[in-house]
C-alpha cells in the first residue's frame, strides 16, 4: 500500500533543497555571466592603439588637403576682388576718354611679315634694332604703342586707385614690399638651379623690384610693382593681399602684361613664371570664373 504522506513529505523536502541551492548560488552565476559579457564587449589595448593609428594616418592625409583647399579659396576671393578693380581702373580711363589709349602690346603685330627686328652694331659698337627686310630702324610702335603709358599710369595709380603709399625706388628699404619677397631670377634658380637665364638685370629680378622699380601700395595693403624702362611698357606685378603671406609667385603674387589692338587696351595676359604649386594668371582667372 502506497504511503502517500511519506512520499509527499519527501517531495516537499527535495523541492526545498533545490530551491535553497538555487538561491544560494544565483548571485555567483549572475556575477559570472555579467563579467563574461563585459570581457566580450571591451577592446584590448592593442585594438585601441591600432584604431588610433588608423585615425592618425587618415588625418595626416586629409588635413593638408583640406587646409590647402581653404587657403586656395581665400586666395581666389582676394584675387577676384583685386584683379577686377585693377583691370577696370585701366579700361575705365579708356572708356571715359572715348578713344583708344596707346599703352599696350600688340595682340596681332601689324608689322608681322613686313619687318623682322634684328640687332646690329653701328661704327661705335652700339646696338640698334633694325628691320631685317629694309635695314631701317624698327618703328617706335613695333612691339606696341606705348606713347601714352606714363600719362595713363598717373591717372590710374594717383587718381583712380586708392593709393596709400608710393615708393619711386628702394621699395624694400622704404617699406613698400615685404621682407620675404623674391625676384623673378630667384624663382628661376629655385625651379632650375642649373639655369643660366637668371640675371640680376632681368625684368623683375630681385635687385630690380627691391631697389629700382616703383611700387604703389593701395589703402587695403595690396601693392603693384611697375616695370621700368625708357618706354614705360605696360608690365606689372601685383600682390593681391599685400605683405600677408605667402608672398609667392602664382599664389598671391602675379605678373601681368597689357595687350590690345588698334582699338586700345583689350585684356591682360600672364607674365613671368610661378613657384612650385602655384597658378599662372590664366589658371587663377579660370578658377575664379573670370576667363
Amino acid at each position: 500500500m502506497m504511503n502517500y504522506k511519506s512520499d509527499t513529505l519527501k517531495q516537499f523536502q527535495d523541492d526545498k533543497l533545490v530551491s535553497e541551492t538555487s538561491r544560494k548560488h544565483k548571485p555567483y552565476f549572475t556575477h559570472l555571466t555579467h563579467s563574461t559579457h563585459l570581457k566580450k564587449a571591451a577592446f584590448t589595448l592593442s585594438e585601441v592603439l591600432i584604431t588610433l593609428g588608423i585615425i592618425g594616418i587618415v588625418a595626416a592625409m586629409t588635413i593638408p588637403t583640406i587646409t590647402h583647399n581653404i587657403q586656395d579659396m581665400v586666395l581666389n576671393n582676394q584675387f577676384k576682388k583685386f584683379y577686377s578693380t585693377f583691370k577696370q581702373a585701366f579700361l575705365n580711363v579708356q572708356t571715359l576718354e572715348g578713344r583708344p589709349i596707346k599703352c599696350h602690346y600688340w595682340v596681332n603685330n601689324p608689322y608681322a611679315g613686313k619687318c623682322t627686328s634684328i640687332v646690329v652694331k653701328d661704327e661705335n659698337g652700339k646696338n640698334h634694332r633694325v628691320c631685317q627686310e629694309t635695314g631701317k630702324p624698327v618703328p617706335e610702335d613695333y612691339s606696341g604703342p606705348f606713347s601714352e603709358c606714363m600719362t595713363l599710369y598717373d591717372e590710374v595709380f594717383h587718381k583712380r586707385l586708392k593709393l596709400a603709399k608710393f615708393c619711386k625706388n628702394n621699395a624694400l628699404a622704404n617699406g613698400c614690399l615685404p621682407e620675404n619677397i623674391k625676384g623673378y631670377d630667384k624663382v628661376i634658380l629655385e625651379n632650375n638651379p642649373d639655369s643660366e637665364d637668371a640675371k640680376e638685370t632681368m625684368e623683375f629680378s630681385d635687385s630690380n623690384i627691391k631697389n629700382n622699380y616703383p611700387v604703389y601700395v593701395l589703402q587695403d595693403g595690396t601693392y603693384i610693382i611697375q616695370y621700368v624702362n625708357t618706354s614705360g611698357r605696360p608690365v606689372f606685378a601685383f600682390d593681391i593681399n599685400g605683405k600677408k603671406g605667402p608672398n609667392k609667385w602664382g599664389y598671391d603674387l602675379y605678373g601681368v602684361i597689357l595687350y590690345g589692338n588698334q582699338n586700345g587696351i583689350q585684356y591682360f595676359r600672364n607674365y613671368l613664371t610661378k613657384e612650385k604649386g602655384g597658378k599662372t594668371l590664366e589658371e587663377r582667372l579660370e578658377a575664379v570664373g573670370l576667363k
Side-chain angles (χ1 to χ4, degrees):
M1 180 176 180
M2 180 181 293
N3 189 344
Y4 176 80
K5 186 175 181 180
S6 176
D7 290 343
T8 301
L9 179 61
K10 187 176 184 304
Q11 181 66 42
F12 173 77
Q13 290 174 341
D14 290 345
D15 289 345
K16 184 179 180 182
L17 179 61
V18 171
S19 177
E20 289 177 352
T21 303
S22 177
R23 195 164 50 246
K24 181 179 179 182
H25 292 286
K26 186 175 181 180
Y28 170 77
F29 287 114
T30 301
H31 171 73
L32 181 61
T33 303
H34 181 64
S35 176
T36 304
H37 176 72
L38 286 178
K39 288 182 179 179
K40 289 182 178 179
F43 293 102
T44 65
L45 178 60
S46 60
E47 289 173 333
V48 172
L49 293 176
I50 291 172
T51 302
L52 291 176
I54 293 173
I55 293 173
I57 292 172
V58 172
M61 294 174 62
T62 58
I63 289 177
T65 301
I66 294 172
T67 302
H68 176 269
N69 290 340
I70 293 173
Q71 291 174 341
D72 204 50
M73 181 178 66
V74 171
L75 291 174
N76 281 341
N77 291 333
Q78 292 172 333
F79 177 91
K80 188 172 184 178
K81 178 183 177 182
F82 174 84
Y83 183 81
S84 298
T85 301
F86 181 68
K87 182 178 181 180
Q88 286 303 316
F90 283 90
L91 296 181
N92 286 345
V93 173
Q94 188 167 259
T95 300
L96 292 175
E97 287 283 334
R99 64 179 181 82
I101 299 295
K102 297 178 180 179
C103 184
H104 57 80
Y105 283 83
W106 295 117
V107 175
N108 298 303
N109 196 317
Y111 299 103
K114 303 175 184 178
C115 175
T116 304
S117 177
I118 60 172
V119 177
V120 297
K121 293 183 181 292
D122 60 19
E123 61 274 11
N124 297 318
K126 188 176 180 179
N127 290 337
H128 294 274
R129 287 194 170 273
V130 301
C131 293
Q132 186 177 25
E133 292 80 358
T134 63
K136 296 180 179 180
V138 297
E140 289 186 0
D141 62 346
Y142 179 82
S143 297
F146 307 131
S147 60
E148 296 183 295
C149 282
M150 300 312 294
T151 302
L152 176 63
Y153 300 161
D154 183 67
E155 178 71 22
V156 168
F157 295 121
H158 294 283
K159 298 178 182 179
R160 297 189 174 275
L161 296 178
K162 297 178 180 179
L163 192 64
K165 189 173 183 178
F166 173 63
C167 294
K168 186 176 181 180
N169 50 38
N170 297 318
L172 181 63
N174 291 325
C176 285
L177 293 176
E179 292 288 341
N180 63 336
I181 190 173
K182 290 178 291 189
Y184 188 39
D185 53 334
K186 302 291 186 182
V187 177
I188 291 177
L189 289 174
E190 285 184 359
N191 291 341
N192 182 11
D194 297 325
S195 175
E196 297 180 358
D197 296 330
K199 300 176 182 178
E200 290 187 1
T201 57
M202 70 186 305
E203 300 162 4
F204 293 96
S205 69
D206 201 67
S207 176
N208 275 331
I209 64 175
K210 292 177 179 178
N211 304 311
N212 303 322
Y213 288 177
V215 176
Y216 304 86
V217 183
L218 306 187
Q219 289 182 5
D220 62 0
T222 57
Y223 62 84
I224 303 154
I225 307 171
Q226 177 191 334
Y227 168 62
V228 172
N229 67 0
T230 55
S231 60
R233 297 187 179 191
V235 183
F236 304 93
F238 58 79
D239 191 308
I240 58 176
N241 60 4
K243 293 183 179 181
K244 296 179 182 178
N247 298 315
K248 296 172 64 177
W249 297 91
Y251 288 81
D252 53 349
L253 188 60
Y254 298 88
V256 65
I257 183 169
L258 278 62
Y259 273 88
N261 52 31
Q262 299 294 350
N263 295 319
I265 302 168
Q266 299 299 308
Y267 53 82
F268 296 178
R269 283 182 177 173
N270 182 72
Y271 187 72
L272 306 179
T273 189
K274 61 182 180 180
E275 295 186 56
K276 185 177 180 180
K279 286 182 170 68
T280 64
L281 183 73
E282 282 77 15
E283 289 170 340
R284 187 66 72 181
L285 286 171
E286 185 173 357
V288 301
L290 292 179
K291 186 176 180 182

